Amino acid sequence: MSLKPILPGSTSATGQQMTLGVMGGGQLGRMFVQAAQAMGYFTAVLDPDPASPAGLISHFHIQTPFDDEQGLAQLMQRCEAITTEFENVPAPALVTLGAHRPVAPSAVCVAVAQDRVLEKARFVKCAPVSGVSPAPHAVVDSVDSLAAVPDDLLPGILKTARLGYDGKGQVRVSTREALAQAWADLGRVTCVIEKLLPLQAECSVIVARGANGQRVSFPVQANTHRDGILALTEAYEGAVPPALAERAVASTLAIADELNYVGVLCVEYFIVKNSAGEPDLVVNEMAPRPHNSGHYTQNACDLSQFEAQVRTLAGLPLPTPRQHSPAIMINLLGDLWFEPNGVRSQQSERPVSPPWDQVLALPGTHLHQYGKLSPRPGRKMGHLNITAPNVEQVRATARQVLALLGLPAL
Ligand code: ATP
Ligand code: MG
């Protein structure tokens, strides 16, 4: 990647406004676009969906499939540099773009994150330096490898190597028969069987790394999942035991270095008890982009994960982010529009907007909605960041918000 910075608000050699591009038009792309525009860039989004959250607000929206040659050519023609907002962007498309424009993260890094088999192999390779290993696991891609799965991986979770997210493409299995059945049900695609670990908690770390190798980390956040989907993130001192938090940050930076990663990277960790009964870390997976668990940075830090993405892409300086407020992020799923205050409405009823007036009356509440026009149960519609001067207050406000929304208490 070129180390010459792309300065916002200037014009390119061809007289175009400096434009940054993103493959994918989901909410992460939308928040990248918002951060880029705030700094004075023009933006271009490639996504076939005419109503994609990022496409709706971008200067340019190229509505073609991700591997469409003409669409990719248009994106390259418009943009000085291109990033991605979801890991299932076809890696060959990023190779095409990368031949002509700076692309961050690179096709190689995205390809690793797209495939649990490659990803786990990288984590194993990094373990001597990162100090953290993945869960015990084995690859299942043939009848022979299925038969060779060691007994001590059961009970386990069978996960498809590709295209899984929010707990999709995963089956929990306790017996060899159930494992064989689950593999058949998943279409006998390449999978990883992972030992089911007794999780004490989960956390993740966001880092940003520039093309010059400079890297910074954001504070560690503790994550609560419900039904395989992130429900809540807590980011304040003590949310994760400090010794583990420090190890998680060091591990994530080591993984970014090993990948020669450019851009924003999120690595997820499990907190488990080791054989000595001490809390320990296990590395779960990574996302080659900003992550839902890093949304708190928008309102609690002096640099958001999306601005960090813009800066790494444009080759701008990357100062160490400072968290100025304890924060809790609550994910807003479409269910809230059908169960206002926790009361399920009739199927036939129109979706009802949650009581934002009451929520926003509480100090330190920051509403982010993604511009999705039709709420559906399980669909990520937005998130709410809560900030406060201290931990007690942020937790107290979060409890009030959760009660107003009819969500489980903190
Ligand atoms: P994401 O939405 O983060 O991409 P995903 O569908 O890719 O999710 P994972 O992160 O692998 O899936 O798993 C989803 C959740 O399932 C984890 O956050 C964790 O709560 C649980 N889980 C996954 N693997 C294990 C394991 N080996 N032991 C115990 N729980 C697990
Ligand atoms: Mg995950």
Side-chain angles (χ1 to χ4, degrees), residues 349-375:
E349 283 177 27
R350 277 195 312 122
V352 177
S353 193
W356 299 134
D357 49 347
Q358 293 173 60
V359 169
L360 294 173
L362 300 169
T365 50
H366 313 271
L367 180 61
H368 299 260
Q369 294 206 65
Y370 308 146
K372 295 183 183 176
L373 302 176
S374 37

Side-chain angles (χ1 to χ4, degrees), residues 324-348:
H324 50 70
S325 301
I328 293 181
M329 189 269 333
I330 297 171
N331 254 353
L332 305 171
L333 300 184
D335 309 58
L336 290 175
W337 276 250
F338 297 95
E339 298 180 26
N341 304 7
V343 180
R344 181 176 284 277
S345 50
Q346 295 299 314
Q347 283 291 321
S348 56

